[in-house]
Structures are given as structure tokens and as C-alpha cells.
Amino acid sequence: MYDVAVVGAGPAGSQVAFRLAALGYEVVVVEKKTKIDAPVCCTGIIGQDCAGSLALDEDVTFRQANSASLRSPSGKSIRLWRPEPQASIVDRPAFNAALARRSQKQGAEYRLNSPVVNVQIGDSGVCLELSNQGNGSESLHARVVVIATGFASKVVGGLGLGKAGDFVIGAQAEVETIGVDEVEVYFSEEIAPGFFAWLVPTSPGKALAGLLSRRNPDDYLRKLLARLVTQGKIASAKVGMTHGGIPLQPLAKTYGDRLLVVGTAAGQIKPTTGGGIYYGLLCADIAANHLNRALKNDDLSAGNLSRYQREWRKKLGTELKIGYWARKLYEGLNDHQVDQIFDIIESHGIDEALLKAEDLSFDWHSKVVLRLMADRALAKAMMAIKIPWGREKKVVNS
């Protein structure tokens, strides 16, 4: 019997495995994909604090970014720039593989091509039923299980923990670029209604183009790619796409008897941008700390493991609530209102003031949101243009 079984070999799952294997526990990671470095629908932008703490090889990082250009629906631009790098753009498949190798060096075992079809939690342990892709099934036993499977996992659904209350779909494609060397973010109902699209340079001549949408993400991404071709920024719109669901709210419950849920599966995601790497890693560390104590004391009850949820909510709860409020507020705007906000931010130097604030971080967005809301000029203008503070567009999930 293993001490810990981790379901999912993404960043959060591998971080839990790394931490616990380093403490001497017998850890196994089971992953349904045939290889860890398979393509994923993620831009791979992480803050410098996150990148530095992992101490990964340089070949995992495409480049560092210290600027981004924000484009309004009518084409107005606000350029955010700081002299020092604010983020690293990593090769997500290589990033996943690097975290897995780090865990394996500590003794964690990885089983690929092994979908989990059932999880049974008993008084003395956990039994995972693995599918061997047409070759029958296999049972795997552990003292505790960590679910790190990503969004809308059937494994989570079968454990009675509920599901994310709100979500969005991401669509992304790797494209060949022409003279693009800075991150560009686009706000337009025509391209990404209620959300945003992006063009993120990676390796020379390459970039990731993508967007978030509640429905028909492929159609919107094709529109974006066609526009970028017309603008001379990318060579072709005929590219393959990847997709992924992104929860905008966390699960109500991320623990149970002999069970914890971490990362995207738990909804530990920035609602403002849909980024989940950093928060997933933070919560993976919190999970590992609590599991270490629980395993030592042989108390893997839901009551004891509930401390994990209390701690991660204490750390991230305010960020998630404010971020979701800001997300819903933005989703209620039309293109004309977004253009007006761009004008206000630029004409009153709000963007410059934010850039000069040393305590504002790439990974923590609540301070940015609160400072924007506290700005007198912006608040007065938002009232004047009748921003729907108390109203929200009807959400249609598909």
C-alpha cells in the first residue's frame, strides 16, 4: 500500500508528490495521458516569484516579459511596462515534465496511460481502480488520495464534492508570427465577449493565440486568427487548436475522509485571468504540509483534513472573491463602455500610477482591483457612463 496516491500529473499534482516524496513517503502519481509533456490549453505565464521558487532549468522558459499592450475594442492601446521582468513564459509541456522529473528524483512513482475509473474510500485506506486501456483493470491502494485532475473531472464528481459554480472555456493555438515581440491582450465583444483574447510570443517566430469564451470558443478563435492575419501579425490561420475548461469559482468542499483536492480540480484559479499555475502550487504546498501531519498522526479523517481548506481559503479567499466580482463586473460591460474606461485610465494617468506602485504584483490582483475602484476619477466616470454595478448579464453555460 502506498502512503499517497495523486491523481493527475499537472503542476499541482507533481508539487504534492515532490513535497511528500521528499519527506520519505511512498507516493504514486497516476495520469490518464500517455505522456506528461502532452500539449495543454495554457499560455504558461507565471510570475517571477513563482518561477524563482521552482528553480527550473532555463530550457523550460521561453522568455521573460516586462511589458504588455492592452487593446480596446476600437483599437486604443495602453502599454504596461516596467524595467524589470514581471513574468516568465514557460513551455507548458516541458514545464509539466520538469516538475514530474523533480518528483521522480525524490522517489515518486509515475504511472501514465492509467485513467482512474473509480475511487473507493474505506476505513483503512483508498482503492483506485485504473483502466489499462483495453487490458482490463488494476486496483491500487493508498492511505490517502489527492485529486489534481484538472477541470470537470469525473473522479471529483463521483466523490460527492459538487462542481464549480461557474466556468469558462479556453481555446488556444500555436501560430507563426511576423514581428511580434510583446504580449498583446484584446478586449472586444466580437472576439471574446465578456472576456479577453491574447497573443503571447514564445520562441522566435512563434506565439500562442487564444481566448476565453462561455460558448463557441473555436468560432471566436477563428475570428481572432483571421484578424491577426489581416493585420500582418501571424502567417496563417490554418492551425490546430487545444481546449480546456477553467473554473471561475472554487469547489465548496475540497476535502473528505482520506481525500484532498488541489489545483484546477479544486477551482484554485485567478478569476480575472483564468491562470491557475501559481495558486495551484501554493495550495499543493498547503496540502502537503497538512498531509504530512495527518499521515504522521494517522488521522486522515475529514475533520482533520478540513484544516487544509481553512488554510488555503485564508490565503486565497479574498483574492478569489474580489477577482470574481471584478470578472462579473467586466462581463456586464459593452464595447463602448470598455473604450470609455480605456480613455479614463489613460487620460488620468491611472496606468502610470499603478505601475509605480511597488506593492502591486502579477500574481495578486485584488489590490489592483481595489485601487481602480478607489480612484475618484474612474469611479465618478463609471457612474456617469452607467456601469452596471448591481446588474450582471445572464450567463449561459455550455
Side-chain angles (χ1 to χ4, degrees):
M1 177 182 286
Y2 294 94
D3 292 310
V4 183
V6 180
V7 184
S14 284
Q15 180 71 2
V16 171
F18 167 73
R19 288 287 311 280
L20 292 174
L23 291 171
Y25 293 106
E26 294 290 329
V27 180
V28 62
V29 180
V30 293
E31 168 59 49
K32 67 178 181 180
K33 295 179 180 179
T34 57
K35 56 181 184 179
I36 295 175
D37 59 351
V40 295
C41 184
C42 175
T43 314
I45 302 179
I46 59 176
Q48 291 302 90
D49 289 343
C50 178
S53 67
L54 294 171
L56 298 173
D57 295 336
E58 291 184 1
D59 58 1
V60 173
T61 302
F62 283 129
R63 61 193 296 167
Q64 294 181 328
N66 64 345
S67 66
S69 178
L70 311 183
R71 306 295 176 90
S72 78
S74 65
K76 300 169 185 175
S77 178
I78 292 178
R79 186 170 184 263
L80 303 178
W81 177 88
R82 279 180 171 175
E84 63 280 353
Q86 298 298 301
S88 292
I89 302 170
V90 300
D91 180 342
R92 264 307 304 275
F95 181 77
N96 286 0
L99 293 181
R101 287 195 301 271
R102 192 178 65 152
S103 300
Q104 289 171 313
K105 287 180 180 179
Q106 295 295 332
E109 178 185 344
Y110 277 68
R111 296 194 184 188
L112 305 181
N113 198 29
S114 299
V116 175
V117 296
N118 189 34
V119 176
Q120 293 183 336
I121 298 176
D123 293 337
S124 59
V126 179
C127 178
L128 275 63
E129 183 180 347
L130 311 181
S131 171
N132 288 331
Q133 303 294 328
N135 297 318
S137 61
E138 175 188 0
S139 294
L140 184 152
H141 299 271
R143 295 171 64 190
V144 66
V145 62
V146 177
I147 308 297
T149 48
F151 176 69
S153 166
K154 292 182 180 179
V155 176
V156 174
L159 293 171
L161 300 176
K163 56 184 179 181
D166 195 5
F167 69 95
V168 67
I169 306 298
Q172 184 171 264
E174 185 178 54
V175 295
E176 294 184 14
T177 57
I178 304 171
V180 176
D181 60 2
E182 183 176 62
V183 174
E184 297 184 1
V185 183
Y186 311 100
F187 302 90
S188 168
E189 288 184 301
E190 183 181 347
I191 296 176
F195 291 86
F196 60 92
W198 60 84
L199 182 63
V200 176
T202 53
S203 55
K206 299 285 186 180
L208 294 173
L211 53 81
L212 301 178
S213 174
R214 290 197 180 276
R215 55 192 177 274
N216 304 323
D218 283 11
D219 293 340
Y220 287 114
L221 183 53
R222 290 189 188 97
K223 288 182 181 180
L224 171 65
L225 296 176
R227 177 178 293 193
L228 293 174
V229 169
T230 301
Q231 293 173 349
K233 292 183 178 180
I234 68 173
S236 173
K238 296 180 179 179
V239 292
M241 301 179 185
T242 58
H243 309 82
I246 301 171
L248 298 176
Q249 292 180 296
L251 291 180
K253 189 177 180 182
T254 56
Y255 66 92
D257 290 324
R258 300 183 179 275
L259 165 70
L260 292 182
V261 188
V262 300
T264 302
Q268 294 156 344
I269 297 285
K270 300 173 191 174
T272 46
T273 64
I277 295 176
Y278 183 52
Y279 286 2
L281 292 173
L282 288 177
C283 293
D285 284 340
I286 294 171
N289 291 339
H290 283 279
L291 285 174
N292 179 37
R293 290 192 289 268
L295 288 163
K296 282 184 176 179
N297 297 328
D298 197 23
D299 183 358
L300 296 163
S301 65
N304 190 34
L305 294 181
S306 67
R307 297 176 182 177
Y308 156 71
Q309 177 160 307
R310 288 199 295 272
E311 184 173 344
W312 80 253
R313 282 189 176 275
K314 182 178 180 181
K315 190 172 188 68
L316 298 180
T318 299
E319 286 289 325
L320 298 184
K321 288 179 181 178
I322 293 176
Y324 187 70
W325 176 84
R327 156 61 35 222
K328 297 301 292 180
L329 174 63
Y330 175 79
E331 199 170 353
L333 304 178
N334 58 42
D335 279 355
H336 178 64
Q337 290 169 326
V338 173
D339 268 314
Q340 287 181 291
I341 291 173
F342 264 69
D343 286 340
I344 296 164
I345 289 175
E346 187 172 30
S347 63
H348 288 82
I350 298 171
D351 52 338
E352 294 296 330
L354 290 174
L355 288 171
K356 292 177 181 178
E358 296 182 358
D359 60 336
L360 296 185
S361 165
F362 176 86
D363 290 310
W364 305 97
H365 298 164
S366 64
K367 288 185 177 180
V368 175
V369 172
L370 293 176
R371 288 200 182 187
L372 285 172
M373 294 302 100
D375 185 274
R376 291 184 179 181
L378 182 60
K380 183 178 180 180
M382 290 177 81
M383 294 297 293
I385 62 178
K386 299 180 180 180
I387 296 297
W389 297 94
R391 305 194 307 274
E392 295 175 356
K393 287 183 178 179
K394 184 178 180 181
V395 175
V396 179
N397 290 334
S398 61

